Amino acid sequence: MDARKLLDIMSVAERLKDVTRHCYTKNGRHESVAEHCWMMSLMAFFLSDEFPEADMNKVIKMCIIHDMGEAFTGDIPTFDKTADNEKTEEDFLYSWVDSLPENYRSEMKALYSEMSELRTVESKIYKAIDGLEAVIQHNISDLSTWIPIEYELNKVYANDKVAFSDYLTKLRDEIRKDTLKKLGETE
């Protein structure tokens, strides 16, 4: 890849370090989109033994690129995001992807297509990790940073995304236990 092109790509990706998410870190700072993607990628790495049939390198790539559109639009929490927001983000993202060198453009388009169709085990794992990481991060953050909707949402969010896997369902159950403990509730 041309050196200048790589620097241009990295300049766009770097924006995700400053795009904050709705969630907070343990120390009370807004989490960045880049941090969310990194944590997801790390989860995928550590889940590789649970999914020997899956191409976990592909899952990690999905985790890394899944929120690139937010470099253009910012982050909108899932409970506030509309179809129009998603369309705008997708339009900006694909305009940028179309500017990439052919081999990367093709690979990213294929990954985004696979991620949106959610038919492969890799795309299902990525989607589950995306939801689980958000709930884990909420459990790590101080309860004072939660908004009212999250008290119930954190108990059920991503249930549908993990249903295809016994392991991820068990992981979700453990995360729920942490949520209930944080809320001072029992099962």
Side-chain angles (χ1 to χ4, degrees):
M1 178 184 302
D2 173 76
R4 176 53 44 202
K5 186 62 178 174
L6 177 60
L7 293 174
D8 292 344
I9 291 168
M10 298 312 296
S11 178
V12 171
E14 191 274 341
R15 296 176 193 172
L16 294 180
K17 292 181 179 183
D18 288 323
V19 175
T20 57
R21 291 171 49 83
H22 168 72
C23 199
Y24 290 79
T25 64
K26 181 178 184 174
N27 291 328
R29 177 181 54 75
H30 267 109
E31 173 191 36
S32 75
V33 173
E35 290 167 321
H36 165 66
C37 295
W38 170 78
M39 189 73 109
M40 285 179 59
S41 300
L42 190 62
M43 282 181 68
F45 173 79
F46 284 114
L47 288 174
S48 56
D49 288 344
E50 300 301 329
F51 297 96
E53 75 283 10
D55 179 349
M56 292 307 281
N57 285 328
K58 181 188 272 191
V59 174
I60 291 169
K61 286 179 180 183
M62 290 174 174
C63 292
I64 291 168
I65 69 166
H66 84 285
D67 276 342
M68 276 302 302
E70 294 179 7
F72 306 99
T73 63
D75 178 69
I76 301 170
T78 188
F79 47 82
D80 287 335
K81 198 172 229 179
T82 67
D84 286 343
N85 296 139
E86 290 177 8
K87 174 79 168 99
T88 299
E89 183 178 316
E90 186 176 289
D91 289 347
F92 278 117
L93 173 65
Y94 278 100
S95 177
W96 178 72
V97 169
D98 284 339
S99 75
L100 299 176
E102 172 53 39
N103 56 327
Y104 296 101
R105 176 174 56 239
S106 296
E107 182 178 9
M108 286 184 87
K109 283 184 174 184
L111 287 169
Y112 284 127
S113 177
E114 185 174 338
M115 291 158 64
S116 70
E117 292 172 1
L118 289 174
R119 291 186 190 144
T120 64
V121 67
E122 290 84 4
S123 63
K124 291 175 183 179
I125 294 168
Y126 133 75
K127 194 66 170 175
I129 291 172
D130 189 22
L132 292 174
E133 193 284 331
V135 179
I136 291 168
Q137 188 60 50
H138 272 80
N139 283 345
I140 292 171
S141 68
D142 193 85
L143 190 58
S144 68
T145 64
W146 291 27
I147 62 172
I149 192 175
E150 292 167 327
Y151 286 76
E152 290 305 314
L153 189 60
N154 225 54
K155 296 175 192 176
V156 298
Y157 190 69
N159 286 353
D160 57 333
K161 296 173 179 124
V162 301
F164 76 97
S165 163
D166 288 341
Y167 177 82
L168 291 176
T169 299
K170 289 175 189 164
L171 177 59
R172 180 63 185 100
D173 290 342
E174 287 301 311
I175 296 166
R176 186 181 307 42
K177 289 176 187 175
D178 289 348
T179 298
L180 294 173
K181 183 178 177 184
K182 185 172 207 73
L183 296 172
E185 298 177 12
T186 56
E187 291 183 54

